[in-house]
Amino acid sequence: MKLQFVGAAQTVTGSMHLLHINGSKILLDCGMFQGKRKEAFEINRTFDQFNPRDIDIVILSHAHIDHAGNLPTLVKHGFKGPIYCTRATKDLAYIMLQDCAHIQEKDVEFVNKRRKKQGKNLFEPLYDSDDVEKTISLFKAFNYHEDIDITPDVRLQFYDAGHILGSSLVHLMIQEKERIISFAFTGDLGRPNLPILRDPDKIPNVDYFICESTYGGRFHDTFDVSGTKIIEVLKRAIPKKSKIIVPSFSVGRTQEIVYLLHTLFEADPSLRIPIYVDSPLSVNATEVFRQHPECFDFETSRFILKHQDPFGFNLLNYITSVESSKALNDTQGPCMIISSSGMAEAGRILHHLANNIQDANNIVLMVGYCAEHTLGRKIIEGEKELNILGDTYQMNAEVVLFNSLSAHADSNELTDYCKTLDTAKMKKIFLVHGDFDQQEKFKVRLNEIGFKNVEIPKKGDVFEI
Ligand SMILES: [Zn+2]
């Protein structure tokens, strides 16, 4: 068999790896490359390493856009095979891909307005909602740990990755002539002790392992710190009647914060303030969470027995309509407004930031990773003058940074996970989904714990296995 690295090689975006096994071509993930608009569009539109028509099967690790976001383009360019994933991934992928198609349609509309005036030819979106519908019709969804024979020689099993709802570690048992190869791929590896989700599963007897390395050389606070930190913020906010503005990813992060607040409010009623989740995608994603309690950990399942809905309580309001979103401008503090996007690049969060950051009584809570050049990154870096929707605003509000809510394993957690694998049996580990400096640091750590054969493939590299 051969393993070809097509995306997320020495970078964190566009996850995609191609297996050639006994004449079948199996694609692991089909992620969207995210970066500067023009370059990203070109990379996503052209599959330069293979023809989509030649792919037989796709296996999807989880629903995040950098892992699933280019599936509709693959289908648009002729892929007709099955797409294997877990049940929750199918439901989440549906709402996330529809949202992604919608953003692209709006984006192209905006760009085309200018191009039309300049007499230039017009762009087409990468894909639209019809392409998403066609893509979803190819999904085949399974439970964790179910044996799935995807070809006569390849048996697939999904293990829990503990990263987002439905996320999986992909395990393949491959028969090739006289030998059996045990092959595993992390997708993205989650962290032990995250709320809601179960911890990552251990996979026995792996020969070849593709491992993500986003935080291969960096460290997070443990999740428990989040509770203590939110309590401190609430205690400062209540006497000042602050509005707490939280830019948050709609899927995963928002539900974690809501659940965390629910547990904190249960423990100490004096902290209770109104919470507004203002993002239609968050509302839809929360509904998908509710439909998949089979993915929950023991604590969350026990919580449901006592309280029924972990994502709903008295002071929590989910907001979908534009009018209700605007009405939040006049709402008095103390309150918390959780809205997307997480990097404060687009969406309703921009209005909430514009309306509230000039008031020194307010608080901005930054809970997730923000890429370079995004408004979120500027807030994290402490810039005082911010351009939002074309106007300049002074950041007078207090900014509080959290790195304890990350859904990715950090350097220690990745290393601990790899310690559960058998060093004597492991033939090779391939590091993907990380910037090169992080991958090099992680490689050193893997060498230290006994894994001598660690590769950092480049895009286009092919390995004979
Ligand atoms: Zn992910």
Short mmCIF file of all heavy atoms in Angstrom, two decimals, residues 61-67 163-164 167 187-189 212 407-408 433, ligand 1:
data_model
loop_
_atom_site.label_atom_id
_atom_site.label_comp_id
_atom_site.label_asym_id
_atom_site.label_seq_id
_atom_site.Cartn_x
_atom_site.Cartn_y
_atom_site.Cartn_z
N SER A 61 -13.03 12.08 9.64
CA SER A 61 -12.75 11.95 11.08
C SER A 61 -13.71 12.78 11.93
O SER A 61 -14.14 12.35 12.99
CB SER A 61 -11.31 12.36 11.39
OG SER A 61 -11.10 13.73 11.12
N HIS A 62 -14.03 14.01 11.49
CA HIS A 62 -14.98 14.84 12.23
C HIS A 62 -15.46 16.00 11.37
O HIS A 62 -14.98 16.20 10.26
CB HIS A 62 -14.42 15.31 13.57
CG HIS A 62 -13.23 16.23 13.47
ND1 HIS A 62 -12.00 15.83 13.04
CD2 HIS A 62 -13.11 17.56 13.76
CE1 HIS A 62 -11.16 16.86 13.08
NE2 HIS A 62 -11.81 17.93 13.51
N ALA A 63 -16.39 16.78 11.90
CA ALA A 63 -17.14 17.74 11.07
C ALA A 63 -16.49 19.11 10.92
O ALA A 63 -17.00 19.95 10.17
CB ALA A 63 -18.56 17.90 11.63
N HIS A 64 -15.39 19.37 11.61
CA HIS A 64 -14.77 20.70 11.45
C HIS A 64 -14.45 20.98 9.99
O HIS A 64 -14.07 20.09 9.24
CB HIS A 64 -13.47 20.79 12.28
CG HIS A 64 -13.69 21.21 13.69
ND1 HIS A 64 -12.87 20.83 14.72
CD2 HIS A 64 -14.66 22.00 14.24
CE1 HIS A 64 -13.31 21.36 15.86
NE2 HIS A 64 -14.39 22.07 15.59
N ILE A 65 -14.58 22.26 9.62
CA ILE A 65 -14.46 22.65 8.21
C ILE A 65 -13.07 22.33 7.64
O ILE A 65 -12.94 21.98 6.48
CB ILE A 65 -14.81 24.16 8.07
CG1 ILE A 65 -16.33 24.33 8.25
CG2 ILE A 65 -14.37 24.74 6.74
CD1 ILE A 65 -17.20 23.54 7.28
N ASP A 66 -12.02 22.42 8.47
CA ASP A 66 -10.69 22.09 7.93
C ASP A 66 -10.50 20.59 7.74
O ASP A 66 -9.45 20.14 7.26
CB ASP A 66 -9.56 22.71 8.79
CG ASP A 66 -9.56 22.21 10.23
OD1 ASP A 66 -10.64 21.88 10.75
OD2 ASP A 66 -8.47 22.15 10.83
N HIS A 67 -11.52 19.79 8.07
CA HIS A 67 -11.48 18.34 7.81
C HIS A 67 -12.58 17.88 6.85
O HIS A 67 -12.41 16.90 6.14
CB HIS A 67 -11.59 17.56 9.13
CG HIS A 67 -10.39 17.74 9.99
ND1 HIS A 67 -9.41 16.80 10.15
CD2 HIS A 67 -9.97 18.83 10.70
CE1 HIS A 67 -8.45 17.28 10.92
NE2 HIS A 67 -8.77 18.51 11.28
N HIS A 163 -12.67 15.24 20.79
CA HIS A 163 -12.28 16.57 20.27
C HIS A 163 -13.50 17.46 20.04
O HIS A 163 -13.57 18.55 20.61
CB HIS A 163 -11.48 16.33 18.98
CG HIS A 163 -11.23 17.54 18.16
ND1 HIS A 163 -10.46 18.59 18.61
CD2 HIS A 163 -11.62 17.87 16.90
CE1 HIS A 163 -10.40 19.51 17.66
NE2 HIS A 163 -11.10 19.11 16.64
N ILE A 164 -14.45 17.05 19.22
CA ILE A 164 -15.77 17.69 19.17
C ILE A 164 -16.80 16.57 19.09
O ILE A 164 -16.43 15.41 18.89
CB ILE A 164 -15.98 18.64 17.96
CG1 ILE A 164 -15.86 17.90 16.63
CG2 ILE A 164 -15.10 19.84 18.05
CD1 ILE A 164 -16.49 18.65 15.46
N SER A 167 -16.45 13.31 16.94
CA SER A 167 -15.08 13.21 16.40
C SER A 167 -14.52 11.81 16.63
O SER A 167 -14.79 11.17 17.64
CB SER A 167 -14.17 14.24 17.06
OG SER A 167 -14.04 13.97 18.43
N GLY A 187 -7.24 12.21 13.00
CA GLY A 187 -8.06 13.40 12.79
C GLY A 187 -7.48 14.43 13.72
O GLY A 187 -6.25 14.62 13.76
N ASP A 188 -8.30 15.07 14.55
CA ASP A 188 -7.78 15.93 15.61
C ASP A 188 -7.96 15.21 16.94
O ASP A 188 -9.03 14.66 17.20
CB ASP A 188 -8.52 17.27 15.65
CG ASP A 188 -8.12 18.17 14.50
OD1 ASP A 188 -7.07 17.90 13.86
OD2 ASP A 188 -8.83 19.15 14.24
N LEU A 189 -6.92 15.26 17.77
CA LEU A 189 -6.99 14.58 19.06
C LEU A 189 -7.47 15.56 20.13
O LEU A 189 -6.92 16.65 20.27
CB LEU A 189 -5.61 14.02 19.43
CG LEU A 189 -5.58 13.14 20.67
CD1 LEU A 189 -6.29 11.81 20.41
CD2 LEU A 189 -4.14 12.86 21.10
N GLU A 212 -1.96 14.11 14.50
CA GLU A 212 -1.98 15.58 14.40
C GLU A 212 -0.94 16.18 15.35
O GLU A 212 -0.53 15.52 16.32
CB GLU A 212 -3.39 16.11 14.72
CG GLU A 212 -3.78 15.98 16.19
CD GLU A 212 -4.08 17.33 16.82
OE1 GLU A 212 -3.38 18.31 16.51
OE2 GLU A 212 -5.02 17.38 17.63
N ALA A 407 -9.87 22.54 22.37
CA ALA A 407 -10.35 21.18 22.09
C ALA A 407 -9.23 20.29 21.56
O ALA A 407 -9.46 19.13 21.25
CB ALA A 407 -11.49 21.24 21.09
N HIS A 408 -8.02 20.85 21.45
CA HIS A 408 -6.88 20.07 20.96
C HIS A 408 -5.97 19.67 22.13
O HIS A 408 -5.69 20.50 23.00
CB HIS A 408 -6.01 20.92 20.02
CG HIS A 408 -6.54 21.00 18.64
ND1 HIS A 408 -6.26 20.06 17.68
CD2 HIS A 408 -7.32 21.92 18.03
CE1 HIS A 408 -6.84 20.39 16.54
NE2 HIS A 408 -7.50 21.52 16.73
N HIS A 433 -0.92 18.17 10.30
CA HIS A 433 -1.80 19.14 10.95
C HIS A 433 -1.07 19.91 12.04
O HIS A 433 -1.50 19.99 13.19
CB HIS A 433 -3.01 18.40 11.54
CG HIS A 433 -4.23 19.26 11.73
ND1 HIS A 433 -4.31 20.20 12.73
CD2 HIS A 433 -5.40 19.33 11.07
CE1 HIS A 433 -5.49 20.79 12.67
NE2 HIS A 433 -6.17 20.29 11.67
ZN ZN B 1 -11.00 19.70 14.54
#
